[in-house]
Amino acid sequence: MAFLQIEREGGIVVATMNQPETRNALTGNTAIEEIVQLCADIRQDAGVKVLILTATGPIFSSGGNVKDMRRYFDDALTPERICEEYRQGIQRVPLALHGLDVPVICAVNGPAIGAGLDIACMCDIRIAADTATFAESFVRVGIVPGDGGAWLLPRAVGMARASEMAYTGEAISAQDALACGLVSRVVPAADLLPTAKTLAAKIAANPGGVMRMTKRLLREGQHSSLVSLLELSASYQALAHKTAEHREAVTAFIEKRAPRF
């Protein structure tokens, strides 16, 4: 059975992790390949404007399959081979998902544990059901965040809170996640997907090409100097001014009507 259930509504793609029997684990199955392929498909499809990532069942994702980790006890699996396995495996997910140039909304329906939390941090916007919890729990099974969590989590909640979460491995509630900025809103579980879809529709109503450039600028702004970002912004703006969508938006504004993109 496929790990992802993919649906499309116009420019909105909804990808649902659909292996509740494994607590939507991200290893020991086809999850990595499917997520990477989905991102590759979206990058090639200019008609996609927003991606929603969510899950079925009571748990968003338990992260790595702990039972599957017993194979690392085998001395034949050397540290060098394990390192390469991470490079060719789970580490492809942040490069693909965080690297998408369309906005990504994560609708967290339940506990997001370990790599499950980190995959949520790879998204631009996180909405949590009131039943969700979040834990950077790698230390509790004697490993480190091998999927980029040490880069992602501090950018979402700040270094002090990320350190507390990573060093203790303890879970925080949806309300605590809201307070520290990990999620932008908390809603009743029944309202989670409708809320995510409403937000996605508001995003998708805007020109897709400009949206992708805007996301690239926001991402570049996290590590670029102001001078470098201004130069890139000027280049993107020059492209934006020449698009048919910009012409239509300005014309519609002057004519006091809704734009037709």
Side-chain angles (χ1 to χ4, degrees), residues 114-146:
L117 167 57
D118 291 345
I119 199 171
C121 289
M122 296 170 201
C123 303
D124 302 295
I125 301 168
R126 289 167 290 281
I127 300 172
D130 52 12
T131 52
T133 58
F134 303 85
E136 188 78 344
S137 57
F138 298 93
V139 69
R140 292 202 165 188
V141 289
I143 57 175
V144 301

PDB file of all heavy atoms in Angstrom, residues 114-146:
ATOM      1  N   GLY A 114       9.851  12.989  16.947  1.00  0.00           N
ATOM      2  CA  GLY A 114      11.144  12.797  16.289  1.00  0.00           C
ATOM      3  C   GLY A 114      11.134  13.345  14.883  1.00  0.00           C
ATOM      4  O   GLY A 114      10.881  14.538  14.658  1.00  0.00           O
ATOM      5  N   ALA A 115      11.393  12.470  13.916  1.00  0.00           N
ATOM      6  CA  ALA A 115      11.380  12.898  12.521  1.00  0.00           C
ATOM      7  C   ALA A 115       9.993  13.367  12.093  1.00  0.00           C
ATOM      8  O   ALA A 115       9.863  14.122  11.123  1.00  0.00           O
ATOM      9  CB  ALA A 115      11.858  11.770  11.605  1.00  0.00           C
ATOM     10  N   GLY A 116       8.953  12.946  12.813  1.00  0.00           N
ATOM     11  CA  GLY A 116       7.612  13.451  12.537  1.00  0.00           C
ATOM     12  C   GLY A 116       7.497  14.928  12.842  1.00  0.00           C
ATOM     13  O   GLY A 116       6.832  15.681  12.120  1.00  0.00           O
ATOM     14  N   LEU A 117       8.137  15.377  13.932  1.00  0.00           N
ATOM     15  CA  LEU A 117       8.200  16.810  14.226  1.00  0.00           C
ATOM     16  C   LEU A 117       9.056  17.519  13.184  1.00  0.00           C
ATOM     17  O   LEU A 117       8.693  18.595  12.699  1.00  0.00           O
ATOM     18  CB  LEU A 117       8.776  17.038  15.623  1.00  0.00           C
ATOM     19  CG  LEU A 117       9.189  18.473  15.966  1.00  0.00           C
ATOM     20  CD1 LEU A 117       8.042  19.449  15.802  1.00  0.00           C
ATOM     21  CD2 LEU A 117       9.749  18.533  17.380  1.00  0.00           C
ATOM     22  N   ASP A 118      10.174  16.916  12.836  1.00  0.00           N
ATOM     23  CA  ASP A 118      11.081  17.579  11.899  1.00  0.00           C
ATOM     24  C   ASP A 118      10.453  17.750  10.526  1.00  0.00           C
ATOM     25  O   ASP A 118      10.667  18.773   9.865  1.00  0.00           O
ATOM     26  CB  ASP A 118      12.392  16.797  11.801  1.00  0.00           C
ATOM     27  CG  ASP A 118      13.201  16.875  13.089  1.00  0.00           C
ATOM     28  OD1 ASP A 118      12.898  17.750  13.921  1.00  0.00           O
ATOM     29  OD2 ASP A 118      14.124  16.060  13.258  1.00  0.00           O
ATOM     30  N   ILE A 119       9.660  16.771  10.083  1.00  0.00           N
ATOM     31  CA  ILE A 119       9.028  16.922   8.768  1.00  0.00           C
ATOM     32  C   ILE A 119       7.999  18.046   8.814  1.00  0.00           C
ATOM     33  O   ILE A 119       7.806  18.761   7.820  1.00  0.00           O
ATOM     34  CB  ILE A 119       8.405  15.590   8.273  1.00  0.00           C
ATOM     35  CG1 ILE A 119       8.193  15.647   6.750  1.00  0.00           C
ATOM     36  CG2 ILE A 119       7.107  15.265   8.979  1.00  0.00           C
ATOM     37  CD1 ILE A 119       7.791  14.322   6.135  1.00  0.00           C
ATOM     38  N   ALA A 120       7.373  18.244   9.967  1.00  0.00           N
ATOM     39  CA  ALA A 120       6.470  19.389  10.104  1.00  0.00           C
ATOM     40  C   ALA A 120       7.254  20.693  10.009  1.00  0.00           C
ATOM     41  O   ALA A 120       6.790  21.671   9.412  1.00  0.00           O
ATOM     42  CB  ALA A 120       5.717  19.310  11.433  1.00  0.00           C
ATOM     43  N   CYS A 121       8.465  20.706  10.577  1.00  0.00           N
ATOM     44  CA  CYS A 121       9.307  21.909  10.536  1.00  0.00           C
ATOM     45  C   CYS A 121       9.836  22.188   9.134  1.00  0.00           C
ATOM     46  O   CYS A 121      10.313  23.297   8.869  1.00  0.00           O
ATOM     47  CB  CYS A 121      10.473  21.777  11.514  1.00  0.00           C
ATOM     48  SG  CYS A 121       9.986  21.864  13.253  1.00  0.00           S
ATOM     49  N   MET A 122       9.783  21.207   8.245  1.00  0.00           N
ATOM     50  CA  MET A 122      10.208  21.412   6.865  1.00  0.00           C
ATOM     51  C   MET A 122       9.168  22.199   6.079  1.00  0.00           C
ATOM     52  O   MET A 122       9.440  22.650   4.967  1.00  0.00           O
ATOM     53  CB  MET A 122      10.455  20.067   6.185  1.00  0.00           C
ATOM     54  CG  MET A 122      11.592  19.263   6.780  1.00  0.00           C
ATOM     55  SD  MET A 122      11.654  17.569   6.127  1.00  0.00           S
ATOM     56  CE  MET A 122      12.606  16.741   7.401  1.00  0.00           C
ATOM     57  N   CYS A 123       7.972  22.353   6.646  1.00  0.00           N
ATOM     58  CA  CYS A 123       6.879  23.056   5.981  1.00  0.00           C
ATOM     59  C   CYS A 123       6.894  24.531   6.373  1.00  0.00           C
ATOM     60  O   CYS A 123       7.488  24.914   7.375  1.00  0.00           O
ATOM     61  CB  CYS A 123       5.551  22.412   6.347  1.00  0.00           C
ATOM     62  SG  CYS A 123       5.468  20.636   5.954  1.00  0.00           S
ATOM     63  N   ASP A 124       6.217  25.353   5.593  1.00  0.00           N
ATOM     64  CA  ASP A 124       6.208  26.800   5.817  1.00  0.00           C
ATOM     65  C   ASP A 124       5.262  27.215   6.934  1.00  0.00           C
ATOM     66  O   ASP A 124       5.562  28.112   7.717  1.00  0.00           O
ATOM     67  CB  ASP A 124       5.795  27.521   4.528  1.00  0.00           C
ATOM     68  CG  ASP A 124       6.711  27.193   3.380  1.00  0.00           C
ATOM     69  OD1 ASP A 124       7.893  27.558   3.452  1.00  0.00           O
ATOM     70  OD2 ASP A 124       6.251  26.564   2.412  1.00  0.00           O
ATOM     71  N   ILE A 125       4.101  26.582   6.970  1.00  0.00           N
ATOM     72  CA  ILE A 125       3.049  26.940   7.917  1.00  0.00           C
ATOM     73  C   ILE A 125       2.582  25.659   8.591  1.00  0.00           C
ATOM     74  O   ILE A 125       2.356  24.642   7.931  1.00  0.00           O
ATOM     75  CB  ILE A 125       1.860  27.610   7.200  1.00  0.00           C
ATOM     76  CG1 ILE A 125       2.309  28.879   6.457  1.00  0.00           C
ATOM     77  CG2 ILE A 125       0.738  27.930   8.180  1.00  0.00           C
ATOM     78  CD1 ILE A 125       1.268  29.424   5.496  1.00  0.00           C
ATOM     79  N   ARG A 126       2.438  25.715   9.910  1.00  0.00           N
ATOM     80  CA  ARG A 126       1.970  24.551  10.655  1.00  0.00           C
ATOM     81  C   ARG A 126       0.690  24.912  11.399  1.00  0.00           C
ATOM     82  O   ARG A 126       0.658  25.891  12.152  1.00  0.00           O
ATOM     83  CB  ARG A 126       3.039  24.069  11.645  1.00  0.00           C
ATOM     84  CG  ARG A 126       4.230  23.423  10.949  1.00  0.00           C
ATOM     85  CD  ARG A 126       5.412  23.238  11.885  1.00  0.00           C
ATOM     86  NE  ARG A 126       6.029  24.516  12.245  1.00  0.00           N
ATOM     87  CZ  ARG A 126       6.874  25.196  11.451  1.00  0.00           C
ATOM     88  NH1 ARG A 126       7.198  24.708  10.263  1.00  0.00           N
ATOM     89  NH2 ARG A 126       7.391  26.348  11.843  1.00  0.00           N
ATOM     90  N   ILE A 127      -0.349  24.120  11.158  1.00  0.00           N
ATOM     91  CA  ILE A 127      -1.617  24.246  11.877  1.00  0.00           C
ATOM     92  C   ILE A 127      -1.794  22.967  12.679  1.00  0.00           C
ATOM     93  O   ILE A 127      -1.603  21.864  12.155  1.00  0.00           O
ATOM     94  CB  ILE A 127      -2.789  24.441  10.908  1.00  0.00           C
ATOM     95  CG1 ILE A 127      -2.599  25.700  10.059  1.00  0.00           C
ATOM     96  CG2 ILE A 127      -4.113  24.512  11.659  1.00  0.00           C
ATOM     97  CD1 ILE A 127      -3.618  25.848   8.950  1.00  0.00           C
ATOM     98  N   ALA A 128      -2.150  23.078  13.950  1.00  0.00           N
ATOM     99  CA  ALA A 128      -2.253  21.904  14.805  1.00  0.00           C
ATOM    100  C   ALA A 128      -3.688  21.681  15.259  1.00  0.00           C
ATOM    101  O   ALA A 128      -4.404  22.629  15.585  1.00  0.00           O
ATOM    102  CB  ALA A 128      -1.353  22.054  16.024  1.00  0.00           C
ATOM    103  N   ALA A 129      -4.083  20.410  15.286  1.00  0.00           N
ATOM    104  CA  ALA A 129      -5.302  20.049  15.989  1.00  0.00           C
ATOM    105  C   ALA A 129      -5.031  20.159  17.484  1.00  0.00           C
ATOM    106  O   ALA A 129      -3.883  20.050  17.933  1.00  0.00           O
ATOM    107  CB  ALA A 129      -5.703  18.616  15.636  1.00  0.00           C
ATOM    108  N   ASP A 130      -6.079  20.376  18.247  1.00  0.00           N
ATOM    109  CA  ASP A 130      -5.875  20.496  19.692  1.00  0.00           C
ATOM    110  C   ASP A 130      -5.423  19.184  20.327  1.00  0.00           C
ATOM    111  O   ASP A 130      -5.027  19.158  21.491  1.00  0.00           O
ATOM    112  CB  ASP A 130      -7.140  21.031  20.376  1.00  0.00           C
ATOM    113  CG  ASP A 130      -8.394  20.241  20.012  1.00  0.00           C
ATOM    114  OD1 ASP A 130      -8.286  19.152  19.414  1.00  0.00           O
ATOM    115  OD2 ASP A 130      -9.497  20.729  20.333  1.00  0.00           O
ATOM    116  N   THR A 131      -5.449  18.105  19.557  1.00  0.00           N
ATOM    117  CA  THR A 131      -4.984  16.800  20.030  1.00  0.00           C
ATOM    118  C   THR A 131      -3.504  16.561  19.720  1.00  0.00           C
ATOM    119  O   THR A 131      -2.957  15.532  20.105  1.00  0.00           O
ATOM    120  CB  THR A 131      -5.807  15.677  19.378  1.00  0.00           C
ATOM    121  OG1 THR A 131      -5.797  15.856  17.942  1.00  0.00           O
ATOM    122  CG2 THR A 131      -7.244  15.709  19.855  1.00  0.00           C
ATOM    123  N   ALA A 132      -2.871  17.487  19.022  1.00  0.00           N
ATOM    124  CA  ALA A 132      -1.474  17.299  18.599  1.00  0.00           C
ATOM    125  C   ALA A 132      -0.505  17.531  19.760  1.00  0.00           C
ATOM    126  O   ALA A 132      -0.772  18.323  20.662  1.00  0.00           O
ATOM    127  CB  ALA A 132      -1.142  18.248  17.449  1.00  0.00           C
ATOM    128  N   THR A 133       0.598  16.823  19.714  1.00  0.00           N
ATOM    129  CA  THR A 133       1.734  17.085  20.592  1.00  0.00           C
ATOM    130  C   THR A 133       2.997  17.031  19.735  1.00  0.00           C
ATOM    131  O   THR A 133       2.980  16.505  18.619  1.00  0.00           O
ATOM    132  CB  THR A 133       1.844  16.067  21.744  1.00  0.00           C
ATOM    133  OG1 THR A 133       1.956  14.742  21.184  1.00  0.00           O
ATOM    134  CG2 THR A 133       0.639  16.127  22.670  1.00  0.00           C
ATOM    135  N   PHE A 134       4.092  17.568  20.278  1.00  0.00           N
ATOM    136  CA  PHE A 134       5.325  17.687  19.490  1.00  0.00           C
ATOM    137  C   PHE A 134       6.518  17.313  20.370  1.00  0.00           C
ATOM    138  O   PHE A 134       6.650  17.824  21.486  1.00  0.00           O
ATOM    139  CB  PHE A 134       5.489  19.123  18.979  1.00  0.00           C
ATOM    140  CG  PHE A 134       4.327  19.603  18.151  1.00  0.00           C
ATOM    141  CD1 PHE A 134       3.197  20.139  18.750  1.00  0.00           C
ATOM    142  CD2 PHE A 134       4.362  19.507  16.770  1.00  0.00           C
ATOM    143  CE1 PHE A 134       2.121  20.580  17.997  1.00  0.00           C
ATOM    144  CE2 PHE A 134       3.285  19.939  16.003  1.00  0.00           C
ATOM    145  CZ  PHE A 134       2.166  20.480  16.613  1.00  0.00           C
ATOM    146  N   ALA A 135       7.379  16.434  19.850  1.00  0.00           N
ATOM    147  CA  ALA A 135       8.542  16.016  20.638  1.00  0.00           C
ATOM    148  C   ALA A 135       9.753  15.802  19.741  1.00  0.00           C
ATOM    149  O   ALA A 135       9.671  15.077  18.736  1.00  0.00           O
ATOM    150  CB  ALA A 135       8.240  14.737  21.411  1.00  0.00           C
ATOM    151  N   GLU A 136      10.860  16.443  20.105  1.00  0.00           N
ATOM    152  CA  GLU A 136      12.150  16.191  19.446  1.00  0.00           C
ATOM    153  C   GLU A 136      12.842  15.121  20.296  1.00  0.00           C
ATOM    154  O   GLU A 136      13.721  15.396  21.107  1.00  0.00           O
ATOM    155  CB  GLU A 136      12.966  17.490  19.393  1.00  0.00           C
ATOM    156  CG  GLU A 136      14.230  17.390  18.567  1.00  0.00           C
ATOM    157  CD  GLU A 136      13.966  17.468  17.072  1.00  0.00           C
ATOM    158  OE1 GLU A 136      12.794  17.302  16.638  1.00  0.00           O
ATOM    159  OE2 GLU A 136      14.924  17.684  16.317  1.00  0.00           O
ATOM    160  N   SER A 137      12.420  13.886  20.093  1.00  0.00           N
ATOM    161  CA  SER A 137      12.644  12.822  21.076  1.00  0.00           C
ATOM    162  C   SER A 137      13.814  11.890  20.766  1.00  0.00           C
ATOM    163  O   SER A 137      13.940  10.833  21.386  1.00  0.00           O
ATOM    164  CB  SER A 137      11.366  11.988  21.195  1.00  0.00           C
ATOM    165  OG  SER A 137      10.991  11.474  19.922  1.00  0.00           O
ATOM    166  N   PHE A 138      14.681  12.256  19.835  1.00  0.00           N
ATOM    167  CA  PHE A 138      15.758  11.358  19.413  1.00  0.00           C
ATOM    168  C   PHE A 138      16.611  10.884  20.584  1.00  0.00           C
ATOM    169  O   PHE A 138      17.011   9.727  20.662  1.00  0.00           O
ATOM    170  CB  PHE A 138      16.643  12.057  18.378  1.00  0.00           C
ATOM    171  CG  PHE A 138      15.930  12.435  17.116  1.00  0.00           C
ATOM    172  CD1 PHE A 138      15.361  13.694  16.965  1.00  0.00           C
ATOM    173  CD2 PHE A 138      15.820  11.541  16.068  1.00  0.00           C
ATOM    174  CE1 PHE A 138      14.696  14.050  15.806  1.00  0.00           C
ATOM    175  CE2 PHE A 138      15.163  11.884  14.898  1.00  0.00           C
ATOM    176  CZ  PHE A 138      14.599  13.139  14.770  1.00  0.00           C
ATOM    177  N   VAL A 139      16.927  11.803  21.495  1.00  0.00           N
ATOM    178  CA  VAL A 139      17.812  11.473  22.604  1.00  0.00           C
ATOM    179  C   VAL A 139      17.252  10.341  23.455  1.00  0.00           C
ATOM    180  O   VAL A 139      18.002   9.575  24.069  1.00  0.00           O
ATOM    181  CB  VAL A 139      18.088  12.734  23.462  1.00  0.00           C
ATOM    182  CG1 VAL A 139      16.836  13.177  24.210  1.00  0.00           C
ATOM    183  CG2 VAL A 139      19.252  12.520  24.416  1.00  0.00           C
ATOM    184  N   ARG A 140      15.953  10.192  23.481  1.00  0.00           N
ATOM    185  CA  ARG A 140      15.325   9.164  24.317  1.00  0.00           C
ATOM    186  C   ARG A 140      15.530   7.755  23.780  1.00  0.00           C
ATOM    187  O   ARG A 140      15.327   6.788  24.511  1.00  0.00           O
ATOM    188  CB  ARG A 140      13.839   9.460  24.482  1.00  0.00           C
ATOM    189  CG  ARG A 140      13.584  10.709  25.324  1.00  0.00           C
ATOM    190  CD  ARG A 140      12.217  10.718  25.927  1.00  0.00           C
ATOM    191  NE  ARG A 140      12.125  11.705  26.992  1.00  0.00           N
ATOM    192  CZ  ARG A 140      11.087  11.828  27.803  1.00  0.00           C
ATOM    193  NH1 ARG A 140      10.048  11.010  27.668  1.00  0.00           N
ATOM    194  NH2 ARG A 140      11.076  12.740  28.743  1.00  0.00           N
ATOM    195  N   VAL A 141      15.892   7.642  22.507  1.00  0.00           N
ATOM    196  CA  VAL A 141      16.253   6.321  21.970  1.00  0.00           C
ATOM    197  C   VAL A 141      17.738   6.282  21.625  1.00  0.00           C
ATOM    198  O   VAL A 141      18.182   5.440  20.839  1.00  0.00           O
ATOM    199  CB  VAL A 141      15.378   5.941  20.753  1.00  0.00           C
ATOM    200  CG1 VAL A 141      13.962   5.635  21.204  1.00  0.00           C
ATOM    201  CG2 VAL A 141      15.399   7.021  19.679  1.00  0.00           C
ATOM    202  N   GLY A 142      18.508   7.197  22.213  1.00  0.00           N
ATOM    203  CA  GLY A 142      19.957   7.143  22.102  1.00  0.00           C
ATOM    204  C   GLY A 142      20.531   7.534  20.761  1.00  0.00           C
ATOM    205  O   GLY A 142      21.608   7.064  20.386  1.00  0.00           O
ATOM    206  N   ILE A 143      19.834   8.405  20.022  1.00  0.00           N
ATOM    207  CA  ILE A 143      20.363   8.874  18.744  1.00  0.00           C
ATOM    208  C   ILE A 143      20.210  10.395  18.663  1.00  0.00           C
ATOM    209  O   ILE A 143      19.628  11.013  19.557  1.00  0.00           O
ATOM    210  CB  ILE A 143      19.667   8.204  17.527  1.00  0.00           C
ATOM    211  CG1 ILE A 143      18.144   8.442  17.572  1.00  0.00           C
ATOM    212  CG2 ILE A 143      19.993   6.716  17.478  1.00  0.00           C
ATOM    213  CD1 ILE A 143      17.412   7.920  16.335  1.00  0.00           C
ATOM    214  N   VAL A 144      20.746  10.972  17.601  1.00  0.00           N
ATOM    215  CA  VAL A 144      20.668  12.413  17.374  1.00  0.00           C
ATOM    216  C   VAL A 144      19.674  12.685  16.247  1.00  0.00           C
ATOM    217  O   VAL A 144      19.306  11.771  15.506  1.00  0.00           O
ATOM    218  CB  VAL A 144      22.052  13.002  17.002  1.00  0.00           C
ATOM    219  CG1 VAL A 144      23.055  12.719  18.109  1.00  0.00           C
ATOM    220  CG2 VAL A 144      22.549  12.441  15.662  1.00  0.00           C
ATOM    221  N   PRO A 145      19.235  13.934  16.080  1.00  0.00           N
ATOM    222  CA  PRO A 145      18.386  14.258  14.930  1.00  0.00           C
ATOM    223  C   PRO A 145      19.186  14.100  13.630  1.00  0.00           C
ATOM    224  O   PRO A 145      20.001  14.955  13.296  1.00  0.00           O
ATOM    225  CB  PRO A 145      17.990  15.717  15.170  1.00  0.00           C
ATOM    226  CG  PRO A 145      18.262  15.969  16.622  1.00  0.00           C
ATOM    227  CD  PRO A 145      19.420  15.099  16.970  1.00  0.00           C
ATOM    228  N   GLY A 146      18.940  13.026  12.927  1.00  0.00           N
ATOM    229  CA  GLY A 146      19.726  12.737  11.733  1.00  0.00           C
ATOM    230  C   GLY A 146      19.132  13.269  10.459  1.00  0.00           C
ATOM    231  O   GLY A 146      19.692  13.087   9.375  1.00  0.00           O
TER     232      GLY A 146
END
